[in-house]
Amino acid sequence: MTQEAGKNFRCGTVAIVGRPNVGKSTLLNHILGMKLAITSRKAQTTRHRLLGIHTTDDTQFLFVDTPGFQQKHLNALNKGLNKTVTQVLTEVDVVLFVIEPMKLGEADEKVLSLLPKDKPVLLVVNKSDLMGDKNNLLPLIQDFDLLHPFVGIIPVSAKKSLHLDELLETTRQYLPEQPAIYGEDELTDKNERFLAAELIREKIFRLLGDEIPYSVTVEIEKFETVKNLRRIFAAIIVDKDSQKPMLIGKSGEKMKQISTEARQDMEKLFGSKVYLETWVKVKGGWADDERALKSLGY
Ligand SMILES: Nc1nc2c(ncn2[C@@H]2O[C@H](COP(=O)(O)OP(=O)(O)OP(=O)(O)O)[C@@H](O)[C@H]2O)c(=O)[nH]1
Ligand SMILES: [Mg+2]
């Protein structure tokens, strides 16, 4: 890193915002070249702001992944998620507004209305690999362009890592000239406890039907590091008794699968062996109870 060269080094924060499921977290992971943020086919996977640090020779990008802005089911949890998004927008140097190559919808319009007018915002058209005829992009871009003065428009594919260099190069131009804030090996400001809980939640999003994941949160009750072994004890919290058997599955099969896959991801991310123990607890109405939310880390 030529941070010592000083003069041209840039460092700044970049918000990644958009409606649920457009690929914000996938974009962060593919920029970092590392699975830091959890992702799934279901909307509303991300529930926390997440810092992802990407350091190159001349730039330190401080990306902030955010929850997809919620319009439906406005319980206390989702209201909190929306507050996170609006808060992040006030704090950053640049905004990446992520959309899919689909018609402008109500959910996109809602996020558009929140975009700051006094900050550079790039329109990032993700999932360009799904776009059949590239000519369809033009009317779509025109629709969006009418609603906000974007400083640039960049089609990318996060999943296939296409055009991410262009995205970084353009983003860089809007970052302030200043030295790096974090060490060049640092990846995030979140601790392993947080990341472990997220990986368990991801497996629940990926392995269970449409309803359960939204009623689930994960609490790490104990996290011990003994030499090259992490011993992690996690409670999976559901909203109702009736959800317990669905999560556990026939002869505990589902839980076993959740734990195994989460443990494998943790071993990769932490670079150590992991012993993981999980169990299910019921905490009725946790997602709409301010006090419970606070104690669960929201
Ligand atoms: N084909 C294709 N799929 C993608 C691309 N980027 C993301 N996806 C898929 O889109 C789905 C949603 O991705 P996420 O990264 O979880 O989306 P998100 O915007 O973070 O969603 P929330 O956190 O719920 O707001 C996943 O199934 C991804 O694999 C892409 O470039 N191409
Ligand atoms: Mg996400």
Side-chain angles (χ1 to χ4, degrees):
M1 193 170 73
T2 56
Q3 195 189 330
E4 298 72 25
K7 217 168 104 215
N8 289 321
F9 199 89
R10 288 176 188 247
C11 172
T13 48
V14 187
I16 307 177
V17 301
R19 69 167 169 78
N21 215 36
V22 291
K24 299 176 294 297
S25 303
T26 307
L27 180 65
L28 176 67
N29 288 342
H30 283 252
I31 288 172
L32 299 176
M34 164 101 66
K35 184 176 159 173
L36 177 71
I38 65 166
T39 67
S40 87
R41 285 207 189 113
K42 297 190 178 76
Q44 306 180 27
T45 307
T46 303
R47 288 185 187 158
H48 302 266
R49 60 182 293 162
L50 175 62
L51 176 69
I53 307 162
H54 179 61
T55 309
T56 65
D57 279 353
D58 57 10
T59 316
Q60 185 165 74
F61 299 89
L62 307 175
F63 288 104
V64 187
D65 185 20
T66 64
F69 200 84
Q70 315 292 315
Q71 287 202 296
K72 296 176 216 152
H73 317 298
L74 283 183
N75 57 14
L77 172 66
N78 288 346
K79 281 185 193 155
L81 301 187
N82 286 354
K83 226 166 108 187
T84 303
V85 180
T86 46
Q87 176 77 32
V88 167
L89 284 168
T90 65
E91 295 167 4
V92 298
D93 298 303
V94 187
V95 178
L96 304 184
F97 172 53
V98 184
I99 62 167
E100 285 183 25
M102 278 163 41
K103 252 182 93 183
L104 171 65
E106 211 184 299
D108 295 305
E109 276 182 49
K110 180 70 210 170
V111 189
L112 267 163
S113 72
L114 304 171
L115 296 175
K117 297 281 189 304
D118 55 347
K119 286 184 186 181
V121 183
L122 281 164
L123 180 65
V124 179
V125 189
N126 188 31
K127 308 196 186 183
S128 61
D129 55 292
L130 296 179
M131 217 166 30
D133 185 355
K134 303 272 187 277
N135 290 325
N136 292 337
L137 200 57
L138 217 57
L140 175 78
I141 287 173
Q142 277 164 352
D143 284 350
F144 277 90
D145 219 13
L146 282 175
L147 296 169
H148 191 91
F150 296 105
V151 295
I153 296 163
I154 307 183
V156 302
S157 166
K159 203 169 175 175
K160 305 224 178 280
S161 293
L162 294 176
H163 306 296
L164 301 187
D165 287 344
E166 282 158 67
L167 176 61
L168 288 177
E169 204 36 59
T170 310
T171 304
R172 180 181 191 274
Q173 295 169 28
Y174 298 98
L175 299 181
E177 271 190 27
Q178 60 173 346
I181 293 172
Y182 291 88
E184 66 179 301
D185 297 334
E186 281 181 84
L187 187 66
T188 184
D189 60 347
K190 295 284 190 198
N191 58 26
E192 290 185 351
R193 236 184 145 93
F194 171 87
L195 298 171
E198 284 291 89
L199 287 172
I200 297 169
R201 209 164 57 72
E202 176 184 80
K203 302 314 164 201
I204 295 163
F205 261 76
R206 290 186 177 195
L207 297 170
L208 282 140
D210 282 336
E211 182 212 338
I212 301 277
Y214 299 102
S215 312
V216 166
T217 189
V218 177
E219 197 174 22
I220 305 294
E221 298 204 345
K222 203 155 76 174
F223 192 117
E224 301 169 341
T225 306
V226 190
K227 291 187 185 151
N228 196 31
L229 172 73
R230 264 83 165 162
R231 286 161 52 85
I232 303 169
F233 300 82
I236 299 177
I237 294 164
V238 293
D239 187 45
K240 295 187 194 84
D241 270 321
S242 59
Q243 293 162 339
K244 227 171 149 170
M246 285 187 256
L247 199 61
I248 294 168
K250 233 191 240 158
S251 355
E253 237 171 74
K254 246 325 170 247
M255 274 293 270
K256 210 165 144 192
Q257 197 185 356
I258 292 166
S259 298
T260 306
E261 293 189 16
R263 179 177 51 73
Q264 286 165 347
D265 277 6
M266 288 175 201
E267 291 188 337
K268 262 193 228 143
L269 188 60
F270 303 154
S272 83
K273 283 260 161 249
V274 170
Y275 169 84
L276 175 64
E277 211 171 291
T278 51
W279 61 94
V280 184
K281 257 189 187 173
V282 181
K283 232 180 228 180
W286 69 265
D288 214 7
D289 174 346
E290 301 278 358
R291 262 190 32 213
L293 283 170
K294 209 159 178 204
S295 79
L296 291 166
Y298 291 100

